[in-house]
């Protein structure tokens, strides 16, 4: 109630400039964080209001990254108004459909080609010491969510001391591999749900406030092995090759050998997928957002298949086999 009162006061201040009609305010969407979005009609157009009162710092980061991406040539929202203290932002309405809503086998190659072109533009603009580093500490904090929220909270698994040591050793290997990559700007959630199909300068790019400076393979891994849609392996490899070719021609520091880059992508994706397994369980058990639990099998599959392809990841592959057997025993339905 207090939040709505604050929103109404802010609307009273900005509405005259844009012809906003408060009576048309409707709920648009929310995300995995605390942010929520509202749609409102104005003079000759529709607008989106971002409301994130619990994450004022992320609004500052949103403004900062928006400017970086716009300068790099990406299609990001114009920021009409921002109230850091209240936690409100007025943005253009880019529509109701994301890549996730429209992607199919007929348009996927074209849409993904546009997405990788935009990604290369962002990476070419990269400079050190502008965005926070994707540090070993952050990578470790993220991957530990798998143990805390997926294994312990969701599956109620108690690992033996040997299993714990093997898992920690595997985490060390994954993070070391991630940190060995060249560094660029990383959107950090560059996936179909955050891309908007646009007739000009496709795609529109959203939800970039958590961007960092980190491994070059991260965003292509998240784009192709997405949280909410799965593709055949040959299709993922094809898109990754096409991105890698664009990146090389643009002078980006990807490995000269695609096989080496593909391993980077797989190991980077592994860190992300382990993290997401933990995050989706945390969203359910801590935040009451149960809808994400239904996507756990996709990530279990990602992790299992990748771990099985590398001898050094065999302890993780064995653990995933044990997890999948446990799921059958306890009868989880996702």
């Amino acid at each position: 109630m207090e939040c709505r009162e604050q929103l109404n006061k802010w609307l009273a201040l900005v509405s005259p400039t844009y012809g906003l009609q408060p009576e048309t305010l409707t709920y648009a969407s929310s995300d995995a964080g605390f942010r929520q979005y509202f749609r409102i009609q104005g003079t000759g157009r529709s607008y989106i209001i971002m409301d994130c009162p619990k994450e004022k710092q992320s609004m500052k980061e949103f403004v900062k990254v928006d400017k970086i991406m716009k300068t790099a040539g990406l299609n990001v929202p114009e920021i009409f108004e921002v109230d850091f203290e209240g936690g409100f932002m007025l943005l253009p309405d880019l529509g109701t459909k994301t890549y996730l809503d429209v992607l199919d086998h007929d348009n996927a190659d074209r849409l993904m080609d546009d997405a990788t072109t935009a990604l290369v533009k962002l990476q070419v603009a990269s400079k050190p010491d502008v965005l926070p580093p994707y540090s070993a500490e952050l990578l470790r904090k993220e991957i530990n969510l798998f143990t805390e929220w997926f294994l312990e909270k969701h599956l109620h698994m108690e690992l033996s001391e040997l299993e714990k040591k093997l898992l920690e050793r595997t985490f060390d290997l994954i993070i070391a591999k991630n940190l060995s990559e060249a560094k660029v700007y990383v959107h950090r959630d560059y996936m179909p749900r955050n891309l908007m199909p646009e007739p000009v300068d496709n795609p529109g790019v959203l939800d970039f406030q958590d961007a960092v400076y980190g491994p070059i393979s991260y965003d292509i891994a998240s784009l192709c092995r997405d949280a909410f849609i799965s593709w055949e392996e040959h299709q993922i490899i094809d898109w990754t090759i096409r991105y890698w070719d664009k990146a090389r021609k643009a002078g980006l520091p990807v490995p000269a050998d695609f096989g080496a880059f593909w391993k980077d992508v797989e190991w980077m994706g592994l860190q992300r997928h382990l993290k997401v397994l933990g995050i989706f369980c945390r969203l359910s058990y801590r935040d009451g957002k149960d809808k994400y639990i239904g996507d756990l099998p996709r990530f279990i599959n990602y992790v299992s298949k990748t771990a099985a392809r590398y001898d050094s990841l065999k302890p993780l592959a064995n653990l995933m086999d044990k997890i999948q057997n446990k799921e059958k025993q306890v009868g989880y339905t996702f």
Side-chain angles (χ1 to χ4, degrees), residues 6-68:
Q6 291 177 339
L7 175 57
N8 289 337
K9 289 179 181 178
W10 182 70
L11 279 176
L13 292 175
V14 301
S15 289
T17 303
Y18 303 94
L20 301 182
Q21 304 162 28
E23 69 276 9
T24 67
L25 187 72
T26 57
Y27 180 75
S29 66
S30 62
D31 58 25
F34 294 103
R35 290 174 294 274
Q36 55 184 342
Y37 302 87
F38 298 91
R39 180 169 282 106
I40 190 169
Q41 299 303 312
T43 302
R45 66 180 302 169
S46 179
Y47 295 87
I48 292 292
I49 294 172
M50 179 196 293
D51 173 14
C52 55
K54 295 182 180 179
E55 294 187 333
K56 295 170 187 172
Q57 184 60 37
S58 73
M59 292 192 75
K60 294 179 180 178
E61 294 304 320
F62 185 98
V63 172
K64 177 180 179 179
V65 180
D66 184 271
K67 183 177 180 180
I68 289 171

Side-chain angles (χ1 to χ4, degrees), residues 231-288:
W231 302 97
E232 296 292 335
E233 194 73 3
H234 69 85
Q235 184 69 80
I236 293 172
I237 293 173
D238 181 65
W239 289 333
T240 306
I241 288 174
R242 291 174 187 274
Y243 156 79
W244 169 75
D245 190 50
K246 292 178 188 179
R248 283 195 308 154
K249 290 176 179 176
L252 286 169
V254 292
D257 175 64
F258 177 73
F261 181 65
W262 179 245
K263 184 176 181 180
D264 287 344
V265 172
E266 290 228 280
W267 284 57
M268 190 72 255
L270 195 55
Q271 188 275 345
R272 176 176 170 83
H273 300 148
L274 290 166
K275 170 185 72 172
V276 171
L277 282 167
I279 288 175
F280 280 8
C281 292
R282 185 176 67 182
L283 284 167
S284 176
Y285 297 111
R286 188 192 71 181
D287 303 329

